[in-house]
Amino acid sequence: MTAYDLEIRHPHHHSHDEAEFFEEMSAQEIMEKFNAMNWKQLQILMLQMRGGKAEFTVTDNTQNLAVQISLIEMPETEALTFNFESDIEVSVEQSNLFGFLKYSKAVDVAFQGLNLAAARHLLDAFTHQELDVIRKLYLQPDKTSAAE
């Protein structure tokens, strides 16, 4: 069973040292912590405390990979909205020179504008070692709805 490290940063944490840090957590414990977060309250705090952040970072030390889910302070809708950044690499095809030359490039998987269910789904896939699921979702044309 893989154990994960978890770092939770609330809006009132002004430096990295103030963040909450948990070591050797199971996938189930990670999901319980994520589900227990009061995201709406954190969003209100972010609005009150300029520059505050709400971030949930999970690290898999065996694979040397991490994902960070961050709450967006002022989303375009009233719904909770998240960004998902990771160290998970995926190979994408790039075009150069007016589209005549194509080459592969490794990029880190990232999603923007996710709802709570999509962020939860991606976190669950990460904690269950389903990196190929995350990569496939990233390669889909409509990334925001793909993770839902």
Side-chain angles (χ1 to χ4, degrees):
M1 181 173 94
T2 303
Y4 300 92
D5 292 343
L6 172 63
E7 181 181 329
I8 300 174
R9 184 167 176 193
H10 294 282
H12 62 274
H13 295 151
H14 299 291
S15 72
H16 177 72
D17 297 334
E18 294 177 4
E20 297 175 44
F21 191 74
F22 305 91
E23 294 182 336
E24 304 293 317
M25 296 185 75
S26 69
Q28 181 179 349
E29 291 171 322
I30 294 287
M31 294 309 296
E32 287 172 1
K33 284 278 190 191
F34 185 81
N35 292 330
M37 299 285 288
N38 188 345
W39 293 108
K40 196 63 171 170
Q41 182 65 35
L42 290 171
Q43 187 179 40
I44 292 168
L45 281 172
M46 287 171 63
L47 291 169
Q48 292 172 343
M49 306 179 93
R50 296 276 183 211
K53 296 180 181 180
E55 298 173 336
F56 193 91
T57 306
V58 179
T59 305
D60 178 350
N61 291 317
T62 58
Q63 295 189 56
N64 199 27
L65 293 174
V67 297
Q68 181 178 72
I69 298 172
S70 54
L71 181 61
I72 296 175
E73 181 179 1
M74 303 231 356
E76 293 179 12
T77 66
E78 290 185 26
L80 293 171
T81 308
F82 299 86
N83 288 336
F84 179 94
E85 297 176 22
S86 74
D87 296 336
I88 303 166
E89 286 190 350
V90 65
S91 181
V92 295
E93 192 173 89
Q94 299 280 322
S95 296
N96 197 359
L97 194 60
F98 306 109
F100 293 118
L101 297 175
K102 295 185 187 240
Y103 60 95
S104 290
K105 178 180 177 182
V107 297
D108 291 337
V109 172
F111 296 90
Q112 295 183 353
L114 299 173
N115 64 26
L116 181 59
R120 185 181 291 124
H121 175 71
L122 289 168
L123 179 61
D124 189 58
F126 178 75
T127 58
H128 287 92
Q129 309 282 314
E130 297 171 352
L131 302 182
D132 285 338
V133 169
I134 297 171
R135 288 182 181 109
K136 285 178 186 174
L137 290 171
Y138 179 78
L139 293 172
Q140 289 182 357
D142 184 10
K143 293 180 180 78
T144 55
S145 65
E148 295 174 8

